[in-house]
Amino acid sequence: MTQDDIYTPRRVAVIGGGAAGMMAAIHAASMGASVTLLERNERLGKKLRITGKGRCNVTNDCGTEEFLQNVPTNPRFLYAALNRFSTADTKDFFEECGVPLKVERGKRVFPKSDKASDIVRALSDRCRDLGVEIKHTRVTGVDISDAQVAGVVTAGGTIPADAVIVCTGGRSYSVTGSDGDGYTFALRAGHTVTELRPSLVPIVTEGNLCQRMQGLSLKNVAMRIARRDNGKIVYEDFGEMMFTHFGMTGPMVLSASAHLPDIASGVYEAHIDLKPALDDAALDARIRSDFAKYNNKDFINSLGDLLPLKAIEPIVELCGIDPRKKVNSVTREERRSLLETIKCLRIPLLRFRPIDEAIITKGGVSLSEINPKTMESKLVKGLYFAGEVLDLDAYTGGFNLQIAFSTAVVAGESAATEY
């Protein structure tokens, strides 16, 4: 037997122990590679543990075409990855790992336990079962020689590798370790990084209306985002939101942010329908019924059955009715003003909150420099990218995690087998 006859497994280093990193490590190891997973935090999956308010929306129970309709940035790049590892494959993977799943409104898939920690545990246990070596250390660079990967550089020295998969996430939630290191590695390797912006992020509003209603959470309300110059509706949704000291947040608001690439002061305003289940006639009948009930009360004291307490005073001011006017003296025109304010609470938008508060980062490593069938760099042999570090992002609903899983599976398998 010659030296050439002795099989030596590929040495794969995965940078980042989040959703993409663990999935990449799992699939590289399952293909026979010797895998080292490098995570700077003391625990794996730090950001994954807090996604979906700690519940972890792992994927969306939809087909490929519907999935891609929810990816505003470079959707066609994902065809190969989704064909290799689909939303159904993600569901099967976690079910096989002992995590029962459930499907909720909007086809959102969650663990039945409502615990993101169960998803992290499934991934980390699978890594260990497959013999992945986990090192908790910070990577400071990728060792590249003659346009080919040679290893990763850490504070403790260089770790040799035949392939390196960068799964460092974006720049959002930097407290979890996603501080943009992956972009630095990409730039040093000669890659282009597109403009980085926050997405799925709370929105700062003009004026003090939201501040006055700070802490008020609304359910089953409708929201439209309209251009202020021509009234064109650019986004509409139904669901939950919350007012804060700076403006608005909550599922509807985060989703809306992904549809507003050119947000700036004076461009957009939100129209909140506080009673979407009632048309104008039904709402007017409801108001008249409450007015009859509180006939001799001051106007401001007649709205407790109709509106949340924190919203009453601001809405009274907006509709222009004297708060101390007796209900039995409110005119038809004034009643109409109240109705219109309730059906269309106008809130001018100012800007996004900082990228640190965003769920995901819009922008990243340019996809023109990445092979979509392998996730390998077209510039450096043996260098792969997966997950949020790429110029890919999607709306809420489990789509972004699925992108992380699908690109990671392709990267992991390719890194383990490409020679």
Side-chain angles (χ1 to χ4, degrees), residues 141-397:
V142 178
D143 186 12
I144 298 171
S145 178
D146 296 327
Q148 183 166 333
V149 158
V152 293
V153 182
T154 74
T158 299
I159 299 173
D162 303 302
V164 172
I165 310 175
V166 179
C167 302
T168 50
R171 276 186 51 203
S172 56
Y173 278 132
S174 61
V175 68
T176 64
S178 300
D179 62 359
D181 276 356
Y183 305 127
T184 301
F185 302 153
L187 289 167
R188 288 176 183 168
H191 278 278
T192 304
V193 175
T194 63
E195 180 187 0
L196 304 177
R197 291 175 291 163
S199 188
L200 305 183
V201 64
I203 296 176
V204 180
T205 59
E206 294 181 8
N208 66 352
L209 178 60
C210 293
Q211 184 178 21
R212 293 176 66 188
M213 295 187 287
Q214 178 180 346
L216 174 60
S217 292
L218 300 175
K219 294 184 177 181
N220 302 320
V221 296
M223 180 175 71
R224 291 182 172 185
I225 305 294
R227 292 194 65 91
R228 296 175 72 178
D229 54 359
N230 58 18
K232 180 182 178 182
I233 304 298
V234 297
Y235 179 76
E236 53 188 317
D237 200 359
F238 175 89
E240 302 177 22
M241 62 170 293
M242 184 173 75
F243 296 110
T244 72
H245 66 284
F246 58 76
M248 305 186 299
T249 190
M252 282 200 305
V253 176
L254 299 181
S255 294
S257 71
H259 293 75
L260 305 175
D262 57 344
I263 190 171
S265 177
V267 176
Y268 299 106
E269 67 179 5
H271 299 168
I272 312 298
D273 184 349
L274 299 173
K275 298 291 179 182
L278 303 177
D279 61 17
D280 285 7
L283 180 55
D284 187 53
R286 168 65 192 276
I287 293 171
R288 285 188 282 111
S289 174
D290 283 4
F291 279 9
K293 180 179 178 181
Y294 299 107
N295 189 42
N296 295 313
K297 295 276 190 178
D298 290 348
F299 170 60
I300 197 169
N301 295 325
S302 69
L303 303 174
D305 296 344
L306 185 65
L307 299 170
L309 180 61
K310 284 191 174 183
I312 292 176
E313 190 172 305
I315 285 177
V316 167
E317 289 184 16
L318 287 170
C319 68
I321 304 173
D322 182 350
R324 296 304 168 191
K325 188 172 189 176
K326 297 300 181 184
V327 170
N328 55 26
S329 299
V330 173
T331 66
R332 177 184 297 177
E333 290 74 19
E334 289 173 328
R335 196 173 74 237
R336 181 68 191 178
S337 177
L338 172 63
L339 182 149
E340 290 176 350
T341 303
I342 292 172
K343 294 293 287 182
C344 187
L345 186 61
R346 295 174 180 268
I347 303 175
L349 308 184
L350 185 58
R351 62 179 181 274
F352 294 138
R353 290 290 284 178
I355 197 168
D356 274 358
E357 297 180 29
I359 293 177
I360 62 169
T361 303
K362 184 181 286 288
V365 178
S366 175
L367 301 186
S368 65
E369 300 163 355
I370 305 295
N371 183 337
K373 295 181 179 179
T374 63
M375 298 299 150
E376 185 176 20
S377 163
K378 295 178 181 178
L379 310 180
V380 178
K381 187 171 178 57
L383 180 62
Y384 298 79
F385 295 89
E388 194 181 344
V389 71
L390 293 165
D391 185 15
L392 290 164
D393 64 90
Y395 302 138
T396 57

Side-chain angles (χ1 to χ4, degrees), residues 33-180:
S34 173
V35 182
T36 302
L37 178 60
L38 300 130
E39 168 55 48
R40 61 189 291 184
N41 292 310
E42 63 215 13
R43 294 195 301 172
L44 298 175
K46 189 170 182 179
K47 183 177 179 181
L48 192 55
R49 294 174 190 274
I50 61 175
T51 61
K53 296 182 179 178
R55 297 177 62 219
C56 194
N57 183 188
V58 292
T59 188
N60 192 280
D61 191 24
C62 67
T64 298
E65 291 304 320
E66 184 179 349
F67 187 99
L68 294 175
Q69 290 171 10
N70 286 276
V71 183
T73 306
N74 302 314
R76 293 179 62 84
F77 180 87
L78 287 168
Y79 269 111
L82 287 170
N83 284 335
R84 169 59 194 91
F85 198 78
S86 66
T87 59
D89 292 326
T90 295
K91 290 172 63 182
D92 289 344
F93 173 88
F94 286 108
E95 293 273 2
E96 290 168 6
C97 286
V99 183
L101 304 174
K102 60 182 177 179
V103 181
E104 297 187 357
R105 182 178 67 85
K107 302 181 183 179
R108 299 168 187 240
V109 180
F110 293 88
K112 283 186 177 179
S113 65
D114 285 329
K115 293 180 179 178
S117 57
D118 287 350
I119 299 298
V120 176
R121 188 178 304 112
L123 290 165
S124 58
D125 285 352
R126 193 68 173 269
C127 283
R128 293 183 176 94
D129 290 344
L130 288 166
V132 173
E133 182 180 7
I134 300 170
K135 291 181 177 289
H136 293 279
T137 185
R138 180 168 186 171
V139 174
T140 58
V142 178
D143 186 12
I144 298 171
S145 178
D146 296 327
Q148 183 166 333
V149 158
V152 293
V153 182
T154 74
T158 299
I159 299 173
D162 303 302
V164 172
I165 310 175
V166 179
C167 302
T168 50
R171 276 186 51 203
S172 56
Y173 278 132
S174 61
V175 68
T176 64
S178 300
D179 62 359

